Amino acid sequence: MDELGKELRRIQNRVYWRRKRDTFGRFDVEDGRAKRCEGLYVRLTAAERDMIRHTAVEAGQTVTETLLQAVRLYATTLP
C-alpha cells in the first residue's frame, strides 16, 4: 500500500471511531439523516482515481465525503 493509501486508511479509521453508537453498539444516524445504503460505481482512469484520492487526503476527508462535497458545491453553481 502506498503512502496515499495509508493516509486514506488513517482518515477512514478516525471517521469510523468518531461516529456515535447507541447502547447496543450500533451506529447512530447523525443529524437525522438516513443511513447510506446505496452504492455508486463510477469507471475512472487511474489518473482520475489518484486525483480524487489525493484531493481527499489533502482535505483530510474520506473519498465519499470529498465526492459529496464536490457535488454539493457544483449544485450551488447551477442556475
Side-chain angles (χ1 to χ4, degrees):
M1 184 179 289
D2 61 343
E3 288 300 316
L4 195 60
K6 288 179 184 177
E7 185 60 28
L8 273 174
R9 178 67 63 192
R10 284 187 209 108
I11 291 168
Q12 290 167 345
N13 285 337
R14 278 196 307 260
V15 170
Y16 177 83
W17 287 108
R18 279 196 311 244
R19 291 178 67 187
K20 294 185 175 121
R21 297 173 186 259
D22 65 9
T23 56
F24 299 105
R26 297 177 299 226
F27 288 118
D28 285 338
V29 177
E30 299 171 3
D31 303 326
R33 293 182 294 176
K35 292 182 181 179
R36 291 188 179 140
C37 60
E38 296 293 325
L40 174 65
Y41 299 96
V42 181
R43 293 184 187 273
L44 303 169
T45 64
E48 291 167 337
R49 180 180 166 269
D50 290 341
M51 178 185 59
I52 292 170
R53 293 174 74 218
H54 183 72
T55 303
V57 168
E58 284 183 349
Q61 298 175 329
T62 63
V63 170
T64 301
E65 289 172 332
T66 302
L67 290 174
L68 288 174
Q69 184 179 9
V71 169
R72 288 182 189 117
L73 179 64
Y74 180 74
T76 62
T77 63
L78 295 176

